[in-house]
């Protein structure tokens, strides 16, 4: 379920960025402190693949470190969620107190699988246009 949630976020993020809604200005390097262009803000491309390539290395490290910490924390829980039968690995991160029953978890699992396919279709279309049968924006 947790990988499906990540895929749903990835698919949503791709659509938001592609439609130009995810343009967030951020300061870069020395320009944020002093010198020429101090306080100048930069933005990433509205194309998701190009934006990923423009993202500074520190941004990638922050994302991988955060994801790694969450993964380590969930895997260290006793009893392990695979042995206890509780497939809701991130239940402790549920801030609104939403407890999903098996029917709801099945829906989330199916939507997560669909999001994985959608994310790979977006990437395949970008790398090799025409590989996805339906036109994409």
């Amino acid at each position: 379920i947790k990988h499906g949630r990540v895929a749903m976020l990835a698919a949503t993020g791709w659509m938001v960025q592609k439609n130009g809604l995810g343009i967030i200005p951020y300061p870069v390097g020395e320009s944020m402190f002093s010198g020429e262009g101090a306080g100048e803000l930069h933005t990433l491309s509205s194309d998701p693949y190009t934006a990923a390539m423009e993202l500074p290395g520190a941004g990638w490290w922050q994302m991988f470190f955060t994801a790694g910490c969450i993964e380590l924390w969930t895997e260290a829980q006793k009893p392990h969620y695979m042995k206890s039968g509780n497939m809701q690995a991130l239940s402790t991160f549920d801030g609104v107190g939403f407890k999903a029953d098996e029917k709801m978890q099945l829906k989330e699992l199916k939507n997560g699988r669909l999001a994985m396919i959608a994310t790979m279709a977006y990437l395949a279309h970008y790398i090799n246009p025409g590989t996805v049968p339906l036109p994409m924006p």
Side-chain angles (χ1 to χ4, degrees):
I1 287 179
K2 66 181 170 180
H3 293 105
R5 290 176 180 174
V6 171
M8 287 186 268
L9 286 172
T12 303
W14 188 286
M15 291 183 285
V16 166
Q17 187 75 14
K18 188 72 174 173
N19 289 311
L21 301 173
I23 307 300
I24 300 171
Y26 65 96
V28 175
E30 295 297 321
S31 67
M32 62 190 258
F33 298 116
S34 63
E36 197 170 318
E40 185 177 321
L41 297 177
H42 303 272
T43 58
L44 298 175
S45 171
S46 64
D47 180 52
Y49 191 80
T50 306
M53 297 302 119
E54 292 175 350
L55 188 66
W60 285 108
W61 281 109
Q62 288 173 356
M63 287 189 287
F64 284 123
F65 179 76
T66 303
C69 287
I70 292 171
E71 189 72 19
L72 283 172
W73 188 80
T74 58
E75 291 295 321
Q77 297 298 308
K78 300 292 182 205
H80 194 268
Y81 64 90
M82 295 293 281
K83 292 181 181 176
S84 69
N86 178 16
M87 297 304 288
Q88 188 109 9
L90 297 178
S91 60
T92 54
F93 292 106
D94 187 13
V96 294
F98 179 72
K99 297 291 181 194
D101 58 354
E102 284 188 28
K103 185 177 178 183
M104 202 61 178
Q105 284 184 352
L106 181 62
K107 288 180 183 179
E108 188 175 4
L109 185 64
K110 288 180 178 181
N111 285 327
R113 289 175 180 160
L114 184 62
M116 290 178 202
I117 293 169
T119 303
M120 293 312 296
Y122 291 147
L123 192 58
H125 177 72
Y126 185 84
I127 293 171
N128 190 5
T131 58
V132 180
L134 299 175
M136 299 184 121

